[in-house]
Amino acid sequence: MSLSIKPYIIFMLALASTGCAEKAPEKVEPTNGELVFMGTCRVCHAQGTNGAPIYGNKKMWGKRITQGVPTLIEHAKQGYGLMPAKGGNTELSDQDIADAVRYMVAAVQD
């Protein structure tokens, strides 16, 4: 064995013995807001159907956010413009709606 390979082998053995195995990423559970968005809200908010502000589009959400989150939650609960109350899913609780609105707003805030 040549002298130039020996330090490399020693380094590799030392590295292997230190437990440098890559750890699996932690599983992140979706929030309630994300689940509600994925199950109901994204039907319109993913593509801007009937003028719905697209999820993650800062320009489309800008003037709405200035109204304040409580107003946006009320609009989502009661219906607003072409959006039916609770996005048409009457099974959702008021908390579900609030969580979904906060989830969508968080996507466009810095």
Side-chain angles (χ1 to χ4, degrees), residues 44-81:
C44 295
H45 287 279
Q47 300 166 339
T49 305
N50 294 326
I54 295 173
Y55 175 79
N57 185 312
K58 289 183 178 189
K59 185 175 181 182
M60 293 180 85
W61 279 94
K63 65 182 177 180
R64 289 168 173 90
I65 290 175
T66 61
Q67 298 173 36
V69 173
T71 299
L72 297 177
I73 291 170
E74 259 327 286
H75 288 171
K77 288 192 312 191
Q78 303 299 321
Y80 188 81

Side-chain angles (χ1 to χ4, degrees), residues 40 84-94 96-97:
T40 299
K86 296 185 176 185
N89 185 349
T90 58
E91 299 294 315
L92 295 174
S93 70
D94 288 352
D96 292 334
I97 296 299

